[in-house]
Amino acid sequence: MSRKLQVVSLLVVVGLAGLGWWLFQPDTRAAVALPDGTQPDAPAIRPHTDIPVTHFEAALAHAQTLGEAPESLTGTQVDGQLQVTEQGELLITPDLRWVFDYFLSTQGEETLADCQARLARYLNENLPPDAAAEAWRLFQQYLALGDAMMALPPHDGSPAGIREAVRQRHAMQQAYLGPEAAEAFYGLDMAYDRYMADRQSILDDSSLNEAEQQQRLMALQQTLPSQMQSMLEETRAHVLLAEKTEALREQGASEAEIRALREQHFGAAAADRLEALDEARAQWDARYAEYQQQRQSILNSGLAAEDQQAAVLRLQQAYFSEQELHRVQALDRIAQDGSS
């Protein structure tokens, strides 16, 4: 089962829903001087060759002390393929970033040092020595880039502010990774960032009527790489279907009518999957609603705060799996913030 496809689909859905500006925020984790020097108080960029081989060797040694992979990786395969030339030199491709992200995805289940150690072992087992060392150096620059982008200030939401945020991100990617790796790792992201900035400018242009606005938006989409155009079209189709489904349900349509609509758009197999998703979502909603009632009873019980917290935790563990707990706790915080 590939984790990459799940992540890509989520990014596109979020972007189309109007929340795509989070793309201008960091992917992972100290600021860096941009090529034009516009980022103040930034440390100098450390070249790949400054990362000692002993760093890689230390990670490999640490890997020998690790146990089984985290539970979230059970039943999955490493996203992306490591590739080399006939001479054994590392090929820098988009897949390399997916390999990095696959191992970084377990942060929270284990430490960053453990994540890096598992990656180091994987590189060592699947690449020639020099290529493995180069991939490790690039990975360290990738981590440093994440740190640097965390330090970028948020934009103000204006088209000009968004464009400046895009420019800063892209300059930073080039500065840390070099043109080849930046394009391989972030080429589609860069195209999408520019698309979203231009799209917002069109939406904010009060001189355009609705027809002119839609015409420009369609023309803008045609400037995207074909791969991204296909992703946007597919996602838009799913969004439209969801809207039609919701409208039919509000009008009292039967499940047979809903299925017919889904089959018309995506076929019988997809309709089966959507029905299964509906059932799973309904079960989740019922379980969470029952949990909420019992949680509220605990909060109203008059117990000391420490005892309430312990009782709620026991309740969560009784109703939800370890993987579900983060979602439940986030929903609880949202509900608490909304009521305060």
Side-chain angles (χ1 to χ4, degrees):
M1 173 181 171
S2 173
R3 299 160 69 90
K4 174 169 65 177
L5 294 179
Q6 299 170 353
V7 174
V8 170
S9 298
L10 178 61
L11 291 179
V12 176
V13 169
V14 169
L16 284 178
L19 302 177
W21 302 123
W22 73 267
L23 285 171
F24 303 136
Q25 302 308 317
D27 294 319
T28 38
R29 287 157 288 282
V32 58
L34 300 179
D36 58 6
T38 58
Q39 184 70 23
D41 302 324
I45 301 170
R46 184 170 59 182
H48 294 177
T49 52
D50 285 353
I51 300 173
V53 174
T54 52
H55 190 284
F56 185 44
E57 294 173 347
L60 289 173
H62 180 54
Q64 301 304 313
T65 69
L66 299 178
E68 295 294 323
E71 187 175 352
S72 66
L73 297 185
T74 302
T76 69
Q77 297 178 344
V78 176
D79 286 326
Q81 295 184 343
L82 298 174
Q83 302 176 51
V84 295
T85 67
E86 292 181 357
Q87 292 74 36
E89 297 174 344
L90 180 69
L91 281 175
I92 300 174
T93 68
D95 279 32
L96 184 58
R97 180 189 173 190
W98 287 114
V99 171
F100 293 167
D101 287 344
Y102 177 86
F103 287 95
L104 288 173
S105 69
T106 60
Q107 287 186 83
E109 296 178 83
E110 59 183 0
T111 66
L112 177 59
D114 290 348
C115 297
Q116 293 191 78
R118 294 189 192 278
L119 171 63
R121 180 169 57 194
Y122 184 78
L123 297 177
N124 189 59
E125 291 174 349
N126 291 276
L127 288 172
D130 288 347
E134 176 59 22
W136 180 256
R137 286 192 290 267
L138 188 57
F139 171 66
Q140 295 304 313
Q141 294 301 112
Y142 181 62
L143 288 181
L145 171 63
D147 286 336
M149 290 204 287
M150 280 290 280
L152 284 176
H155 59 76
D156 58 11
S158 68
I162 291 169
R163 289 182 184 280
E164 176 60 17
V166 170
R167 188 198 68 78
Q168 286 185 327
R169 280 176 60 89
H170 296 177
M172 191 171 285
Q173 290 158 0
Q174 297 262 345
Y176 266 95
L177 302 177
E180 181 185 4
E183 177 60 31
F185 285 15
Y186 294 103
L188 284 178
D189 289 1
M190 292 177 185
Y192 187 68
D193 283 355
R194 287 189 290 266
Y195 165 77
M196 291 298 290
D198 291 341
R199 181 177 184 274
Q200 191 63 36
S201 295
I202 294 172
L203 294 174
D204 290 343
D205 190 345
S206 58
S207 69
L208 301 175
N209 60 39
E210 185 175 351
E212 292 171 331
Q213 191 177 79
Q214 290 303 314
Q215 184 178 9
R216 293 199 181 187
L217 288 174
M218 291 301 296
L220 175 63
Q221 184 172 321
Q222 297 304 311
T223 66
L224 288 169
S226 58
Q227 177 184 357
M228 186 165 289
Q229 287 188 46
S230 298
M231 291 168 63
L232 290 173
E233 289 294 343
E234 183 177 351
T235 303
R236 183 177 289 110
H238 282 283
V239 171
L240 291 174
L241 177 61
E243 291 174 351
K244 290 181 180 179
T245 301
E246 185 64 26
L248 282 176
R249 286 201 167 116
E250 290 176 355
Q251 295 166 15
S254 67
E255 289 304 311
E257 290 173 308
I258 299 245
R259 180 179 177 85
L261 174 67
R262 289 170 168 174
E263 286 189 3
Q264 176 186 349
H265 282 270
F266 295 109
D272 288 341
R273 291 193 295 270
L274 288 169
E275 285 179 354
L277 181 61
D278 285 345
E279 183 177 353
R281 185 180 292 116
Q283 291 175 355
W284 162 268
D285 289 343
R287 189 155 45 103
Y288 183 69
E290 186 175 341
Y291 154 77
Q292 278 186 308
Q293 291 180 347
Q294 296 194 36
R295 176 179 178 271
Q296 193 59 48
S297 297
I298 293 173
L299 298 180
N300 296 336
S301 64
L303 291 172
E306 185 175 334
D307 293 333
Q308 284 186 9
Q309 186 176 3
V312 168
L313 180 58
R314 287 194 297 271
L315 181 66
Q316 290 173 344
Q317 292 171 340
Y319 269 86
F320 305 104
S321 68
E322 186 176 349
Q323 289 75 23
E324 293 172 322
L325 284 179
H326 291 299
R327 179 184 178 190
V328 171
Q329 291 163 359
L331 289 172
D332 287 350
R333 285 193 297 270
I334 292 171
Q336 183 176 347
D337 292 342
S339 61
S340 60

mmCIF file of all heavy atoms in Angstrom, residues 272-302:
data_model
loop_
_atom_site.group_PDB
_atom_site.id
_atom_site.type_symbol
_atom_site.label_atom_id
_atom_site.label_comp_id
_atom_site.label_asym_id
_atom_site.label_seq_id
_atom_site.Cartn_x
_atom_site.Cartn_y
_atom_site.Cartn_z
ATOM 1 N N ASP A 272 -19.020 1.110 -5.219
ATOM 2 C CA ASP A 272 -18.852 0.180 -4.096
ATOM 3 C C ASP A 272 -17.917 0.767 -3.041
ATOM 4 O O ASP A 272 -18.183 0.689 -1.836
ATOM 5 C CB ASP A 272 -18.286 -1.153 -4.593
ATOM 6 C CG ASP A 272 -19.301 -1.961 -5.385
ATOM 7 O OD1 ASP A 272 -20.511 -1.693 -5.259
ATOM 8 O OD2 ASP A 272 -18.874 -2.855 -6.141
ATOM 9 N N ARG A 273 -16.808 1.335 -3.507
ATOM 10 C CA ARG A 273 -15.838 1.910 -2.563
ATOM 11 C C ARG A 273 -16.439 3.095 -1.813
ATOM 12 O O ARG A 273 -16.209 3.250 -0.608
ATOM 13 C CB ARG A 273 -14.563 2.332 -3.304
ATOM 14 C CG ARG A 273 -13.742 1.153 -3.823
ATOM 15 C CD ARG A 273 -12.364 1.596 -4.258
ATOM 16 N NE ARG A 273 -12.419 2.499 -5.400
ATOM 17 C CZ ARG A 273 -12.389 2.118 -6.658
ATOM 18 N NH1 ARG A 273 -12.330 0.834 -6.965
ATOM 19 N NH2 ARG A 273 -12.422 3.004 -7.643
ATOM 20 N N LEU A 274 -17.206 3.914 -2.502
ATOM 21 C CA LEU A 274 -17.828 5.072 -1.849
ATOM 22 C C LEU A 274 -18.876 4.629 -0.832
ATOM 23 O O LEU A 274 -19.020 5.255 0.233
ATOM 24 C CB LEU A 274 -18.449 5.991 -2.904
ATOM 25 C CG LEU A 274 -17.439 6.765 -3.755
ATOM 26 C CD1 LEU A 274 -18.133 7.440 -4.931
ATOM 27 C CD2 LEU A 274 -16.689 7.796 -2.914
ATOM 28 N N GLU A 275 -19.609 3.562 -1.136
ATOM 29 C CA GLU A 275 -20.575 3.036 -0.174
ATOM 30 C C GLU A 275 -19.862 2.519 1.078
ATOM 31 O O GLU A 275 -20.327 2.733 2.203
ATOM 32 C CB GLU A 275 -21.400 1.920 -0.813
ATOM 33 C CG GLU A 275 -22.457 2.426 -1.783
ATOM 34 C CD GLU A 275 -23.253 1.293 -2.417
ATOM 35 O OE1 GLU A 275 -22.891 0.116 -2.179
ATOM 36 O OE2 GLU A 275 -24.222 1.592 -3.147
ATOM 37 N N ALA A 276 -18.743 1.834 0.867
ATOM 38 C CA ALA A 276 -17.972 1.345 2.007
ATOM 39 C C ALA A 276 -17.448 2.507 2.846
ATOM 40 O O ALA A 276 -17.431 2.446 4.083
ATOM 41 C CB ALA A 276 -16.817 0.469 1.526
ATOM 42 N N LEU A 277 -17.043 3.573 2.164
ATOM 43 C CA LEU A 277 -16.567 4.757 2.879
ATOM 44 C C LEU A 277 -17.697 5.407 3.661
ATOM 45 O O LEU A 277 -17.507 5.836 4.810
ATOM 46 C CB LEU A 277 -15.978 5.752 1.869
ATOM 47 C CG LEU A 277 -15.396 7.045 2.438
ATOM 48 C CD1 LEU A 277 -14.241 6.738 3.382
ATOM 49 C CD2 LEU A 277 -14.928 7.964 1.321
ATOM 50 N N ASP A 278 -18.887 5.472 3.067
ATOM 51 C CA ASP A 278 -20.047 6.013 3.774
ATOM 52 C C ASP A 278 -20.322 5.224 5.046
ATOM 53 O O ASP A 278 -20.584 5.792 6.112
ATOM 54 C CB ASP A 278 -21.285 5.965 2.875
ATOM 55 C CG ASP A 278 -21.278 7.038 1.799
ATOM 56 O OD1 ASP A 278 -20.480 7.982 1.916
ATOM 57 O OD2 ASP A 278 -22.064 6.913 0.838
ATOM 58 N N GLU A 279 -20.271 3.897 4.928
ATOM 59 C CA GLU A 279 -20.549 3.047 6.078
ATOM 60 C C GLU A 279 -19.501 3.235 7.169
ATOM 61 O O GLU A 279 -19.835 3.347 8.356
ATOM 62 C CB GLU A 279 -20.588 1.581 5.640
ATOM 63 C CG GLU A 279 -20.940 0.625 6.766
ATOM 64 C CD GLU A 279 -21.033 -0.811 6.292
ATOM 65 O OE1 GLU A 279 -20.951 -1.041 5.063
ATOM 66 O OE2 GLU A 279 -21.197 -1.705 7.147
ATOM 67 N N ALA A 280 -18.231 3.295 6.761
ATOM 68 C CA ALA A 280 -17.159 3.496 7.743
ATOM 69 C C ALA A 280 -17.298 4.852 8.423
ATOM 70 O O ALA A 280 -17.097 4.981 9.640
ATOM 71 C CB ALA A 280 -15.802 3.383 7.059
ATOM 72 N N ARG A 281 -17.659 5.869 7.650
ATOM 73 C CA ARG A 281 -17.823 7.207 8.225
ATOM 74 C C ARG A 281 -18.997 7.237 9.196
ATOM 75 O O ARG A 281 -18.922 7.859 10.263
ATOM 76 C CB ARG A 281 -18.035 8.232 7.106
ATOM 77 C CG ARG A 281 -18.101 9.673 7.607
ATOM 78 C CD ARG A 281 -18.311 10.646 6.468
ATOM 79 N NE ARG A 281 -17.161 10.712 5.592
ATOM 80 C CZ ARG A 281 -17.168 10.340 4.322
ATOM 81 N NH1 ARG A 281 -18.273 9.852 3.775
ATOM 82 N NH2 ARG A 281 -16.093 10.449 3.587
ATOM 83 N N ALA A 282 -20.088 6.573 8.840
ATOM 84 C CA ALA A 282 -21.249 6.535 9.730
ATOM 85 C C ALA A 282 -20.908 5.827 11.032
ATOM 86 O O ALA A 282 -21.323 6.265 12.126
ATOM 87 C CB ALA A 282 -22.410 5.841 9.032
ATOM 88 N N GLN A 283 -20.165 4.729 10.954
ATOM 89 C CA GLN A 283 -19.759 4.008 12.159
ATOM 90 C C GLN A 283 -18.872 4.871 13.038
ATOM 91 O O GLN A 283 -19.005 4.885 14.261
ATOM 92 C CB GLN A 283 -19.052 2.708 11.771
ATOM 93 C CG GLN A 283 -19.963 1.674 11.138
ATOM 94 C CD GLN A 283 -19.208 0.450 10.657
ATOM 95 O OE1 GLN A 283 -17.975 0.396 10.704
ATOM 96 N NE2 GLN A 283 -19.933 -0.552 10.174
ATOM 97 N N TRP A 284 -17.937 5.596 12.386
ATOM 98 C CA TRP A 284 -17.059 6.491 13.141
ATOM 99 C C TRP A 284 -17.870 7.583 13.836
ATOM 100 O O TRP A 284 -17.674 7.865 15.021
ATOM 101 C CB TRP A 284 -16.019 7.111 12.225
ATOM 102 C CG TRP A 284 -15.384 8.330 12.813
ATOM 103 C CD1 TRP A 284 -15.771 9.632 12.648
ATOM 104 C CD2 TRP A 284 -14.272 8.380 13.716
ATOM 105 N NE1 TRP A 284 -14.972 10.465 13.383
ATOM 106 C CE2 TRP A 284 -14.052 9.733 14.042
ATOM 107 C CE3 TRP A 284 -13.440 7.403 14.264
ATOM 108 C CZ2 TRP A 284 -13.030 10.132 14.888
ATOM 109 C CZ3 TRP A 284 -12.412 7.811 15.128
ATOM 110 C CH2 TRP A 284 -12.216 9.147 15.428
ATOM 111 N N ASP A 285 -18.791 8.201 13.104
ATOM 112 C CA ASP A 285 -19.595 9.288 13.674
ATOM 113 C C ASP A 285 -20.406 8.795 14.873
ATOM 114 O O ASP A 285 -20.509 9.494 15.892
ATOM 115 C CB ASP A 285 -20.541 9.858 12.607
ATOM 116 C CG ASP A 285 -19.807 10.647 11.538
ATOM 117 O OD1 ASP A 285 -18.642 11.017 11.781
ATOM 118 O OD2 ASP A 285 -20.397 10.882 10.464
ATOM 119 N N ALA A 286 -20.976 7.594 14.751
ATOM 120 C CA ALA A 286 -21.770 7.049 15.852
ATOM 121 C C ALA A 286 -20.890 6.775 17.068
ATOM 122 O O ALA A 286 -21.269 7.065 18.210
ATOM 123 C CB ALA A 286 -22.479 5.772 15.399
ATOM 124 N N ARG A 287 -19.710 6.218 16.808
ATOM 125 C CA ARG A 287 -18.784 5.917 17.908
ATOM 126 C C ARG A 287 -18.313 7.192 18.592
ATOM 127 O O ARG A 287 -18.242 7.268 19.832
ATOM 128 C CB ARG A 287 -17.605 5.117 17.350
ATOM 129 C CG ARG A 287 -16.661 4.548 18.378
ATOM 130 C CD ARG A 287 -15.928 3.320 17.839
ATOM 131 N NE ARG A 287 -15.434 3.510 16.492
ATOM 132 C CZ ARG A 287 -14.155 3.762 16.180
ATOM 133 N NH1 ARG A 287 -13.268 3.864 17.151
ATOM 134 N NH2 ARG A 287 -13.787 3.891 14.935
ATOM 135 N N TYR A 288 -17.986 8.205 17.802
ATOM 136 C CA TYR A 288 -17.505 9.459 18.390
ATOM 137 C C TYR A 288 -18.621 10.166 19.151
ATOM 138 O O TYR A 288 -18.378 10.754 20.218
ATOM 139 C CB TYR A 288 -16.942 10.369 17.301
ATOM 140 C CG TYR A 288 -16.350 11.648 17.852
ATOM 141 C CD1 TYR A 288 -15.181 11.624 18.613
ATOM 142 C CD2 TYR A 288 -16.964 12.880 17.641
ATOM 143 C CE1 TYR A 288 -14.644 12.780 19.151
ATOM 144 C CE2 TYR A 288 -16.426 14.049 18.165
ATOM 145 C CZ TYR A 288 -15.273 14.001 18.914
ATOM 146 O OH TYR A 288 -14.734 15.156 19.444
ATOM 147 N N ALA A 289 -19.857 10.106 18.646
ATOM 148 C CA ALA A 289 -20.976 10.739 19.341
ATOM 149 C C ALA A 289 -21.209 10.078 20.699
ATOM 150 O O ALA A 289 -21.457 10.759 21.714
ATOM 151 C CB ALA A 289 -22.234 10.651 18.483
ATOM 152 N N GLU A 290 -21.130 8.745 20.742
ATOM 153 C CA GLU A 290 -21.295 8.031 22.011
ATOM 154 C C GLU A 290 -20.171 8.379 22.980
ATOM 155 O O GLU A 290 -20.403 8.589 24.181
ATOM 156 C CB GLU A 290 -21.321 6.527 21.743
ATOM 157 C CG GLU A 290 -21.636 5.689 22.968
ATOM 158 C CD GLU A 290 -21.766 4.216 22.639
ATOM 159 O OE1 GLU A 290 -21.975 3.889 21.448
ATOM 160 O OE2 GLU A 290 -21.641 3.395 23.575
ATOM 161 N N TYR A 291 -18.959 8.457 22.452
ATOM 162 C CA TYR A 291 -17.815 8.851 23.277
ATOM 163 C C TYR A 291 -18.007 10.259 23.829
ATOM 164 O O TYR A 291 -17.736 10.511 25.014
ATOM 165 C CB TYR A 291 -16.538 8.775 22.448
ATOM 166 C CG TYR A 291 -15.424 9.689 22.923
ATOM 167 C CD1 TYR A 291 -14.644 9.371 24.030
ATOM 168 C CD2 TYR A 291 -15.170 10.892 22.263
ATOM 169 C CE1 TYR A 291 -13.638 10.214 24.471
ATOM 170 C CE2 TYR A 291 -14.174 11.744 22.686
ATOM 171 C CZ TYR A 291 -13.410 11.409 23.793
ATOM 172 O OH TYR A 291 -12.426 12.256 24.223
ATOM 173 N N GLN A 292 -18.487 11.187 22.997
ATOM 174 C CA GLN A 292 -18.682 12.562 23.442
ATOM 175 C C GLN A 292 -19.655 12.640 24.611
ATOM 176 O O GLN A 292 -19.445 13.414 25.559
ATOM 177 C CB GLN A 292 -19.205 13.417 22.282
ATOM 178 C CG GLN A 292 -18.126 13.908 21.328
ATOM 179 C CD GLN A 292 -18.700 14.863 20.294
ATOM 180 O OE1 GLN A 292 -19.684 14.549 19.623
ATOM 181 N NE2 GLN A 292 -18.111 16.022 20.183
ATOM 182 N N GLN A 293 -20.733 11.861 24.544
ATOM 183 C CA GLN A 293 -21.708 11.865 25.631
ATOM 184 C C GLN A 293 -21.071 11.410 26.938
ATOM 185 O O GLN A 293 -21.278 12.034 27.994
ATOM 186 C CB GLN A 293 -22.884 10.953 25.275
ATOM 187 C CG GLN A 293 -23.759 11.485 24.148
ATOM 188 C CD GLN A 293 -24.907 10.548 23.831
ATOM 189 O OE1 GLN A 293 -24.931 9.392 24.270
ATOM 190 N NE2 GLN A 293 -25.875 11.027 23.069
ATOM 191 N N GLN A 294 -20.299 10.335 26.865
ATOM 192 C CA GLN A 294 -19.663 9.837 28.087
ATOM 193 C C GLN A 294 -18.568 10.788 28.570
ATOM 194 O O GLN A 294 -18.377 10.962 29.777
ATOM 195 C CB GLN A 294 -19.085 8.440 27.839
ATOM 196 C CG GLN A 294 -20.158 7.402 27.530
ATOM 197 C CD GLN A 294 -19.630 5.997 27.627
ATOM 198 O OE1 GLN A 294 -18.790 5.682 28.477
ATOM 199 N NE2 GLN A 294 -20.117 5.123 26.749
ATOM 200 N N ARG A 295 -17.862 11.407 27.626
ATOM 201 C CA ARG A 295 -16.831 12.380 28.006
ATOM 202 C C ARG A 295 -17.465 13.561 28.728
ATOM 203 O O ARG A 295 -16.932 14.038 29.747
ATOM 204 C CB ARG A 295 -16.076 12.850 26.762
ATOM 205 C CG ARG A 295 -15.045 13.950 27.030
ATOM 206 C CD ARG A 295 -14.325 14.332 25.741
ATOM 207 N NE ARG A 295 -13.365 15.402 25.956
ATOM 208 C CZ ARG A 295 -13.665 16.705 25.858
ATOM 209 N NH1 ARG A 295 -14.912 17.073 25.550
ATOM 210 N NH2 ARG A 295 -12.736 17.625 26.075
ATOM 211 N N GLN A 296 -18.593 14.045 28.220
ATOM 212 C CA GLN A 296 -19.259 15.187 28.846
ATOM 213 C C GLN A 296 -19.734 14.829 30.249
ATOM 214 O O GLN A 296 -19.681 15.658 31.164
ATOM 215 C CB GLN A 296 -20.441 15.649 27.990
ATOM 216 C CG GLN A 296 -20.989 17.008 28.394
ATOM 217 C CD GLN A 296 -19.949 18.106 28.306
ATOM 218 O OE1 GLN A 296 -19.244 18.219 27.302
ATOM 219 N NE2 GLN A 296 -19.842 18.916 29.352
ATOM 220 N N SER A 297 -20.173 13.573 30.440
ATOM 221 C CA SER A 297 -20.586 13.139 31.774
ATOM 222 C C SER A 297 -19.414 13.191 32.750
ATOM 223 O O SER A 297 -19.578 13.576 33.914
ATOM 224 C CB SER A 297 -21.140 11.710 31.709
ATOM 225 O OG SER A 297 -22.306 11.661 30.911
ATOM 226 N N ILE A 298 -18.238 12.818 32.266
ATOM 227 C CA ILE A 298 -17.039 12.894 33.108
ATOM 228 C C ILE A 298 -16.718 14.343 33.456
ATOM 229 O O ILE A 298 -16.416 14.670 34.609
ATOM 230 C CB ILE A 298 -15.850 12.231 32.388
ATOM 231 C CG1 ILE A 298 -16.076 10.734 32.241
ATOM 232 C CG2 ILE A 298 -14.542 12.505 33.143
ATOM 233 C CD1 ILE A 298 -15.034 10.030 31.388
ATOM 234 N N LEU A 299 -16.801 15.223 32.453
ATOM 235 C CA LEU A 299 -16.487 16.629 32.688
ATOM 236 C C LEU A 299 -17.486 17.283 33.644
ATOM 237 O O LEU A 299 -17.148 18.245 34.336
ATOM 238 C CB LEU A 299 -16.465 17.382 31.360
ATOM 239 C CG LEU A 299 -15.408 16.928 30.340
ATOM 240 C CD1 LEU A 299 -15.496 17.767 29.072
ATOM 241 C CD2 LEU A 299 -14.009 17.018 30.937
ATOM 242 N N ASN A 300 -18.717 16.755 33.685
ATOM 243 C CA ASN A 300 -19.748 17.312 34.569
ATOM 244 C C ASN A 300 -19.820 16.596 35.912
ATOM 245 O O ASN A 300 -20.711 16.883 36.726
ATOM 246 C CB ASN A 300 -21.123 17.226 33.889
ATOM 247 C CG ASN A 300 -21.204 18.077 32.640
ATOM 248 O OD1 ASN A 300 -20.460 19.047 32.477
ATOM 249 N ND2 ASN A 300 -22.123 17.724 31.746
ATOM 250 N N SER A 301 -18.913 15.658 36.156
ATOM 251 C CA SER A 301 -19.012 14.791 37.330
ATOM 252 C C SER A 301 -18.556 15.444 38.621
ATOM 253 O O SER A 301 -18.848 14.928 39.709
ATOM 254 C CB SER A 301 -18.181 13.526 37.099
ATOM 255 O OG SER A 301 -16.793 13.864 36.987
ATOM 256 N N GLY A 302 -17.816 16.534 38.537
ATOM 257 C CA GLY A 302 -17.297 17.173 39.733
ATOM 258 C C GLY A 302 -15.986 16.593 40.214
ATOM 259 O O GLY A 302 -15.483 16.985 41.279
#
